[in-house]
Amino acid sequence: MKVKTIQFKCDESLHMKSIAILIKKASVFESRIWLTQGSRKANAKSLLGVMSLGIEDGATIEVSAEGSDEAEAVDTIAAYLSNPTVE
Amino acid sequence: MAASVTLKSIIDEFNLEEITSFGNTDSITITVADVTRPGLQLTGFFDHFGPDRIQLIGNQEMAYLAHLSEEERLKCLDGLFSKNIPCLIVSRHHDVFKEIVTCSKRYQIPLLRTDESTSTFMSSLIKHLNVDLAPETTLHGVLVEIYGEGVLMLGESGVGKSETAMELVKRGHRLIADDLVEVRRVSDTTLVGQAPEIIRYLIEMRGIGILDVKELYGVSSVKMQESINFVINLELWDEDKIYERLGISEEYTEILGIQVPSITIPVRPGRNLAIILEVAAINFRQKQMGYNAAQALTERLFGNREEV
């Protein structure tokens, strides 16, 4: 189990799209990846789950992963959340 | 995670009159679902007293206070308020003694009033607190209602939970939550699930996108909340694993400390999960009603009443 806490940055107009990209990035990994905001936790591979967190600009998010590629998964997701850019 | 409710939300919910108000009802939180009628405490007996509970006084306590002298009244009320209680509620719209107001101001503890009778108010307050303070968790899964049974599907992403839910809706069952289910333990035996408000009645299907089930199929296809009677764990078919063939053994999945009956269903392309889930739900109901087909078969095979 690997955990990393980051600050989410987002431009509102990119919000939906950046979540979609996040899901895509997360789905590549074999590990289970979770995003936690306050008392809520969502599967990073689930679009509706991540949307239901209602992540806003500046929010503190805890990224955690468990599985064979957990270290890489947490790094990739945490890096993306701290600087989401539409590709 | 310890749940709590603010005193303000209780005042708003029950429309309580604020006899004294210090602007602190937002910061006073209630964490226990019990309510005390502080009869014994007014006499000065504080063993086993729970100062974190809401205090409620009615006819009896008021009558007791009425027969005391002003000085005694102030002393026994001071004893109660000095325990740092969250608030004092007076029922039946009783007129309050000025000593109660004095103590309320002295300790900055809100004094509230309701028109309702003490026991009626007490039971609705406890019921409200029980729901709001119930332990809560969020699970990654899909909650559907099949033939009246609340069925929670759990399993990895991409195993086919959402597609199965969609097919179940088409077959006349109801969707409660897709992807993320908020589960509350409302009593020691009951779990209730619902969807987070933002994604209520939405389903995500790979290749199509987000669908609004309520808009597409109407109100009869969705439900706001449902108790969780049964858990179905979906997992990819594992050639090395032996799956249940008879249906005799009992399996449980623990959620918030409650053991929920469950089964594990192996998923393989071409298996019609919706039909399997329908069958599982009916079979579960039948077992609840006391009939187990596998047991009936063993009885037929091995004569009367022989246990396996």
Side-chain angles (χ1 to χ4, degrees), chain B residues 162-214:
Chain B
S162 300
E163 285 84 349
T164 307
M166 207 63 190
E167 173 143 15
L168 284 166
V169 166
K170 288 289 289 179
R171 295 173 73 94
H173 307 291
R174 269 152 292 280
L175 171 83
I176 293 99
D178 178 43
D179 245 13
L180 208 71
V181 189
E182 288 179 350
V183 183
R184 280 181 168 192
R185 193 181 83 192
V186 293
S187 82
D188 284 348
T189 51
T190 318
L191 292 168
V192 170
Q194 62 173 29
E197 214 180 328
I198 310 178
I199 57 161
R200 194 163 286 160
Y201 312 139
L202 299 183
I203 276 192
E204 185 217 348
M205 280 180 104
R206 307 276 147 91
I208 298 178
I210 294 169
L211 303 168
D212 187 325
V213 174
K214 192 173 153 220

Side-chain angles (χ1 to χ4, degrees), chain A residues 2-4 14 22-23 27 35 40 47 49 53 56 60 63 72 74 76 78 82-83 86:
Chain A
K2 201 162 177 287
V3 185
K4 210 170 192 176
L14 297 179
L22 172 80
I23 307 301
S27 302
L35 301 184
R40 306 185 82 117
L47 183 67
L53 290 177
E56 284 179 357
T60 308
V63 185
E72 204 191 330
V74 167
T76 311
S82 9
N83 185 23
V86 178

Side-chain angles (χ1 to χ4, degrees), chain B:
Chain B
M1 181 183 65
S4 69
V5 287
T6 64
L7 187 56
K8 184 164 189 325
S9 72
I10 293 168
I11 294 174
D12 293 346
E13 173 74 25
F14 290 96
N15 220 347
L16 299 175
E17 174 196 351
E18 295 180 67
I19 301 174
T20 58
S21 152
F22 311 100
N24 57 358
T25 51
D26 255 336
S27 55
I28 297 176
T29 54
I30 316 290
T31 52
V32 283
D34 301 303
V35 174
T36 298
R37 288 190 70 173
L40 276 173
Q41 287 72 31
L42 288 176
T43 70
F45 186 78
F46 280 98
D47 286 12
H48 301 287
F49 178 62
D52 46 357
R53 298 179 184 181
I54 290 178
Q55 308 290 317
L56 175 66
I57 63 176
N59 276 344
Q60 293 175 27
E61 293 81 6
M62 281 311 214
Y64 172 76
L65 289 171
H67 95 275
L68 298 175
S69 71
E70 272 185 29
E71 201 179 312
E72 286 171 322
R73 200 148 55 214
L74 187 65
K75 189 170 160 251
C76 75
L77 284 164
D78 188 272
L80 179 65
F81 276 92
S82 68
K83 294 286 182 287
N84 202 13
I85 53 175
C87 67
L88 182 73
I89 304 177
V90 178
S91 63
R92 289 185 181 271
H93 206 87
H94 275 290
D95 289 328
V96 295
F97 297 103
K98 65 176 189 301
E99 291 81 9
I100 303 186
V101 180
T102 311
C103 290
S104 160
K105 285 183 177 157
R106 186 178 294 165
Y107 294 99
Q108 303 263 300
I109 290 169
L111 176 60
L112 309 166
R113 184 155 59 185
T114 170
D115 294 341
E116 283 184 64
S117 75
T118 324
S119 355
T120 320
F121 177 73
M122 189 157 167
S123 52
S124 39
L125 180 59
I126 292 179
K127 191 172 166 227
H128 176 79
L129 287 172
N130 261 327
V131 172
D132 271 13
L133 296 174
E136 201 186 48
T137 186
T138 47
L139 293 174
H140 179 67
V142 176
L143 182 58
V144 282
E145 183 240 87
I146 309 173
Y147 299 124
E149 300 292 330
V151 178
L152 178 67
M153 280 187 266
L154 298 175
E156 294 293 317
S157 287
V159 84
K161 298 187 294 292
S162 300
E163 285 84 349
T164 307
M166 207 63 190
E167 173 143 15
L168 284 166
V169 166
K170 288 289 289 179
R171 295 173 73 94
H173 307 291
R174 269 152 292 280
L175 171 83
I176 293 99
D178 178 43
D179 245 13
L180 208 71
V181 189
E182 288 179 350
V183 183
R184 280 181 168 192
R185 193 181 83 192
V186 293
S187 82
D188 284 348
T189 51
T190 318
L191 292 168
V192 170
Q194 62 173 29
E197 214 180 328
I198 310 178
I199 57 161
R200 194 163 286 160
Y201 312 139
L202 299 183
I203 276 192
E204 185 217 348
M205 280 180 104
R206 307 276 147 91
I208 298 178
I210 294 169
L211 303 168
D212 187 325
V213 174
K214 192 173 153 220
E215 293 300 317
L216 279 176
Y217 298 106
V219 272
S220 64
S221 62
V222 292
K223 202 168 175 183
M224 175 93 169
Q225 58 176 34
E226 178 64 50
S227 53
I228 298 172
N229 306 110
F230 190 45
V231 170
I232 294 189
N233 293 300
L234 299 176
E235 60 177 45
L236 292 173
W237 197 296
D238 182 349
E239 289 298 336
D240 300 327
K241 196 169 165 180
I242 295 165
Y243 294 101
E244 182 64 40
R245 299 295 292 268
L246 282 173
I248 287 181
S249 63
E250 307 248 317
E251 186 186 315
Y252 293 92
T253 298
E254 192 186 306
I255 301 171
L256 289 172
I258 295 181
Q259 300 284 337
V260 187
S262 68
I263 53 171
T264 300
I265 294 193
V267 179
R268 196 151 64 171
R271 274 199 115 187
N272 189 330
L273 278 175
I275 291 180
I276 296 174
L277 258 68
E278 269 186 354
V279 172
I282 309 173
N283 191 42
F284 172 72
R285 282 194 88 167
Q286 197 178 36
K287 277 186 185 173
Q288 294 290 95
M289 290 173 175
Y291 181 84
N292 185 328
Q295 241 153 34
L297 173 66
T298 37
E299 268 165 40
R300 227 183 285 166
L301 280 175
F302 301 105
N304 292 336
R305 289 180 192 84
E306 194 173 346
E307 289 295 313
V308 187

Side-chain angles (χ1 to χ4, degrees), chain A residues 3-4 12 14 17 20 26 29 31 36 44-45 47-48 52-54 56 58 60 68 71 74-75 78 81:
Chain A
V3 185
K4 210 170 192 176
E12 199 153 350
L14 297 179
K17 250 187 169 161
F29 298 101
S31 300
T36 313
K45 294 178 190 173
L47 183 67
L48 291 175
S52 75
L53 290 177
E56 284 179 357
T60 308
S68 58
V74 167
D75 287 342
L81 280 174

